[in-house]
Amino acid sequence: QTHTHYTQPKFIPQDSAQAWVWRIRNLPYEKSVYKLSVDEEKQQIVLRTTNKKYFKRFDIPMLKRNGQKLDPRAISCKYANSTLLIQYMKPRSILNSERAWREKQFKAASSKSKPTDEESPGDCKQQ
């Protein structure tokens, strides 16, 4: 049996510099139908609809790995064009560790391409 008027919702996790983002496409209801909450015990974000047509639980593995609890104040959502956009603002500790990791990766990549340590990082000499 196929539904001509409705296709399955697509749950798409994304990452940005400041937040974890989830797009859920093909959700046809108005914004007031969607309710976001935090399951404190399971440390999961819970999305449900008041009309009981959609239900989804998901967590943030990086927060769990770092032993951090979900903060309901960090969650926001927008709805437009049958897509619900959920954002969770990254805590400062995660932003700092991601920045440190990027700097380490950058230094590792740039040190491999340099023949000596004498050149300053601003030099881009052709070999």
Side-chain angles (χ1 to χ4, degrees):
Q1 177 175 346
T2 60
H3 294 75
T4 53
H5 67 286
Y6 179 64
T7 55
Q8 281 296 102
K10 285 191 174 63
F11 184 81
I12 305 159
Q14 299 175 312
D15 194 6
S16 76
Q18 300 297 316
W20 289 290
V21 179
W22 300 270
R23 286 181 190 280
I24 308 173
R25 295 202 168 110
N26 302 326
L27 290 175
Y29 319 108
E30 70 239 15
K31 186 180 184 215
S32 64
V33 170
Y34 304 102
K35 301 293 178 213
L36 276 172
S37 61
V38 169
D39 181 330
E40 295 284 340
E41 188 180 324
K42 293 183 177 171
Q43 283 301 296
Q44 292 178 322
I45 299 171
V46 180
L47 171 65
R48 55 174 49 97
T49 55
T50 55
N51 62 9
K52 310 232 186 301
K53 299 287 187 192
Y54 187 77
F55 180 84
K56 179 79 176 170
R57 291 179 160 273
F58 53 99
D59 59 21
I60 303 174
M62 186 177 279
L63 281 185
K64 283 189 170 181
R65 281 194 300 272
N66 287 306
Q68 295 184 352
K69 295 202 176 294
L70 289 169
D71 179 358
R73 295 166 304 182
I75 302 171
S76 64
C77 77
K78 295 177 187 153
Y79 180 79
N81 305 320
S82 298
T83 300
L84 190 68
L85 181 75
I86 302 168
Q87 286 192 60
Y88 187 96
M89 297 309 289
K90 293 178 181 176
R92 182 153 316 285
S93 59
I94 299 286
L95 293 172
N96 291 341
S97 65
E98 286 184 350
R99 187 179 317 106
W101 182 84
R102 279 193 304 272
E103 287 169 4
K104 187 173 149 193
Q105 297 298 107
F106 178 75
K107 282 180 186 155
S110 60
S111 68
K112 286 177 191 163
S113 64
K114 295 241 169 86
T116 65
D117 289 336
E118 292 164 23
E119 295 176 36
S120 72
D123 291 340
C124 295
K125 294 178 182 161
Q126 293 296 323
Q127 313 251 324

